[in-house]
Amino acid sequence: MISLFSLLAFSLPAIAAFVHPGALHTTKDLVRIKSHVVNEDEPWSTTWTLLTSSSFARAAYVPTPQKTVYRGYNGVNAENYQYLYRDAAAAYQLALRWLISGDTSYADAAVNILSSWAVTLTAISGTSDRYLASGLYGYQMANAAELMRSYSGWASSNKTATTKMLTNIFAPMNTVFLEDHDGKGDYIFYANWDQCNIASLLAIGIFTDNQTMFDYAIDYARSGPANGALPVFDIANYAEAGSGKTLTQGQEAGRDQGHATLDIMLLGVIAQQAYNQGIDLFATYKNEILNAAEYVGKYNVGYSVPYTPYESYEGDQTVISATSRGNIRPGFELISAHYGQLKRLNSSWSDAYRDMVNANSTSGVEGGGGNYATTSGGFDSLGFGTLVYRLS
Ligand SMILES: *[C@@H]1O[C@H](CO)[C@@H](O)[C@H](O)[C@H]1NC(C)=O
Ligand SMILES: *[C@@H]1O[C@H](CO)[C@@H](O)[C@H](O)[C@H]1NC(C)=O
Ligand SMILES: *[C@@H]1O[C@H](CO)[C@@H](O)[C@H](O)[C@H]1NC(C)=O
Ligand SMILES: *[C@@H]1O[C@H](CO)[C@@H](O)[C@H](O)[C@H]1NC(C)=O
């Protein structure tokens, strides 16, 4: 007798098609977001107002594509990567603005940014920092492209050029970095370097329907050899007295809190993109990402957390770093939405950090590129999580 399982296994195609849009946001998300905006529900409405007043979300936005992007001063070429992070933030914000308002002037501005870069960019260079550019702006540009995928006004030649830019310039750098870490070994680079490059491969894999690329990035997140992969990122686990929670000390706890919070933002991006394609990295290793977020959240809102010394390339990290403790960084709306609101798990410390970040802004909500630092750190996250992720 033939089991139902074998019948199904036989009749399903070997490679399931990707969901589109399906990087950070799905159609279902966009319907929910739009409904909150139309009904003027709070806090979504305030976040929408913040987005529509952003100088990056204007239909008249003019991109400044570069032939070569430099991140990290190599002794010859001045850094110019700010043009890329500003334009990536703008492309994403304009794409959202189009999808929510229906006004195609924003769609035209978004595809103009993507297409202008696609026909101009030939390389990303600089120091090792070029791999931060390939990772951070790779996932951001690919997310903007994924949101614009269905726009009929995007000329197919330009869409193809964008696919080529992402596949031929960003993705190979993402893969090379994860494979050989600029020739310096798996141990040297802190977690965020791997994480932004994993996030980029996932987003590009989704936009370009490349299952091989997507699967590679999922495998790397689950079982890669270097600091950004979930098993290596997990330095130590602690049972929190009273709550039954696990707090997970991540790989940048002894470095500084700016990077420790950045790691959580990036892990959120990785897991959200995977989740939208049916793979639950949020749940992987007993909710490791939540446990790591809770540790970071608790320490950054002012409570002490346990700590285990570990080795980094800078030597023994003997104490938790208080450098930039309480720094203001978007990204925890996604964590709280998924774990606290969707899965109904206790995300109280992530919620507390999210609330602290939001309280720091005059709008009281999570903004995006342009609402935080004008330097690169203010553009690491696409942001606007109070609008795009919050469920309740
Ligand atoms: C491709 O994009 C560029 C930059 O936005 C634009 O100038 C050009 O007209 C586009 N090509 C087509 C065929 O629409
Ligand atoms: C898909 O991704 C793999 C791995 O990154 C790459 O080698 C291959 O060229 C990509 N395929 C296409 C059609 O771009
Ligand atoms: C959630 O965890 C916090 C501490 O991490 C605890 O104070 C709180 O009581 C917990 N909430 C619930 C509903 O269990
Ligand atoms: C946000 O935080 C910064 C630095 O901690 C502080 O200077 C600023 O006043 C805060 N802004 C608000 C609106 O709370």
Side-chain angles (χ1 to χ4, degrees):
M1 142 177 181
I2 300 169
S3 74
L4 182 61
F5 179 79
S6 62
L7 267 178
L8 281 172
F10 190 72
S11 58
L12 284 173
I15 293 173
F18 283 100
V19 172
H20 294 295
L24 285 171
H25 315 296
T26 62
T27 297
K28 188 180 165 209
D29 296 330
L30 292 164
V31 167
R32 180 192 68 240
I33 296 162
K34 195 167 177 172
S35 146
H36 284 310
V37 167
V38 169
N39 296 331
E40 298 184 16
D41 298 330
E42 291 297 354
W44 300 269
S45 188
T46 293
T47 322
W48 171 244
T49 303
L50 187 65
L51 173 66
T52 56
S53 46
S54 166
S55 62
F56 292 93
R58 286 174 301 115
Y61 187 90
V62 178
T64 44
Q66 308 291 307
K67 199 165 183 302
T68 304
V69 162
Y70 296 98
R71 182 164 179 169
Y73 181 56
N74 60 9
V76 182
N77 307 97
E79 292 187 298
N80 62 356
Y81 69 103
Q82 69 275 16
Y83 294 117
L84 180 52
Y85 68 63
R86 286 184 202 142
D87 286 356
Y92 174 76
Q93 291 178 26
L94 285 159
L96 273 182
R97 193 167 182 181
W98 164 57
L99 285 162
I100 296 166
S101 71
D103 183 334
T104 55
S105 65
Y106 304 115
D108 291 332
V111 297
N112 179 42
I113 296 170
L114 293 166
S115 305
S116 303
W117 276 92
V119 300
T120 309
L121 185 69
T122 58
I124 300 171
S125 189
T127 62
S128 293
D129 287 17
R130 68 190 183 278
Y131 291 110
L132 291 173
S134 67
L136 291 166
Y137 317 131
Y139 92 75
Q140 296 179 354
M141 292 291 270
N143 264 280
E146 177 68 2
L147 289 177
M148 296 315 301
R149 213 172 190 281
S150 65
Y151 181 50
S152 59
W154 194 3
S156 65
S157 56
N158 278 335
K159 200 171 169 181
T160 301
T162 303
T163 295
K164 283 190 177 153
M165 167 181 71
L166 292 169
T167 306
N168 299 343
I169 300 176
F170 287 88
M173 288 183 69
N174 301 148
T175 310
V176 162
F177 181 76
L178 292 169
E179 287 296 307
D180 89 349
H181 296 96
D182 209 14
K184 293 174 182 164
D186 292 343
Y187 177 66
I188 293 291
F189 292 93
Y190 282 106
N192 72 87
W193 293 71
D194 291 329
Q195 290 164 350
C196 62
N197 283 286
I198 293 169
S200 178
L201 283 178
L202 289 174
I204 297 170
I206 293 165
F207 174 64
T208 65
D209 281 319
N210 188 327
Q211 192 76 45
T212 309
M213 188 183 289
F214 179 85
D215 290 348
Y216 171 85
I218 294 287
D219 287 348
Y220 204 98
R222 278 189 185 136
S223 57
N227 292 324
L230 288 171
V232 189
F233 181 72
D234 181 342
I235 298 292
N237 297 290
Y238 312 97
E240 184 183 52
S243 71
K245 249 180 214 179
T246 300
L247 301 179
T248 296
Q249 176 187 332
Q251 200 267 335
E252 303 209 50
R255 184 190 187 186
D256 63 63
Q257 298 309 310
H259 290 96
T261 48
L262 169 63
D263 293 341
I264 303 302
M265 184 280 285
L266 290 170
L267 287 171
V269 168
I270 289 169
Q272 184 76 17
Q273 295 180 144
Y275 192 78
N276 287 337
Q277 298 299 333
I279 294 173
D280 195 352
L281 291 181
F282 285 112
T284 299
Y285 304 129
K286 299 180 182 163
N287 303 313
E288 179 181 324
I289 297 172
L290 171 63
N291 304 338
E294 291 292 285
Y295 180 97
V296 168
K298 185 173 185 178
Y299 184 65
N300 279 278
V301 299
Y303 293 84
S304 60
V305 287
Y307 185 81
T308 301
Y310 63 101
E311 287 288 322
S312 80
Y313 88 99
E314 291 178 310
D316 197 13
Q317 305 272 12
T318 53
V319 292
I320 191 164
S321 175
T323 303
S324 64
R325 185 178 187 182
N327 77 103
I328 299 301
R329 183 180 281 276
F332 277 58
E333 283 278 2
L334 184 162
I335 300 291
S336 291
H338 185 85
Y339 288 110
Q341 296 155 27
L342 182 66
K343 294 224 177 115
R344 302 265 166 216
L345 296 169
N346 187 337
S347 60
S348 63
W349 295 121
S350 301
D351 302 350
Y353 178 75
R354 171 203 65 187
D355 292 346
M356 182 184 86
V357 170
N358 292 353
N360 182 267
S361 149
T362 48
S363 61
V365 298
E366 184 180 289
N371 297 123
Y372 298 93
T374 54
T375 46
S376 67
F379 290 81
D380 291 342
S381 170
L382 290 167
F384 296 102
T386 317
L387 176 68
V388 296
Y389 302 114
R390 196 181 277 228
L391 302 175
S392 57

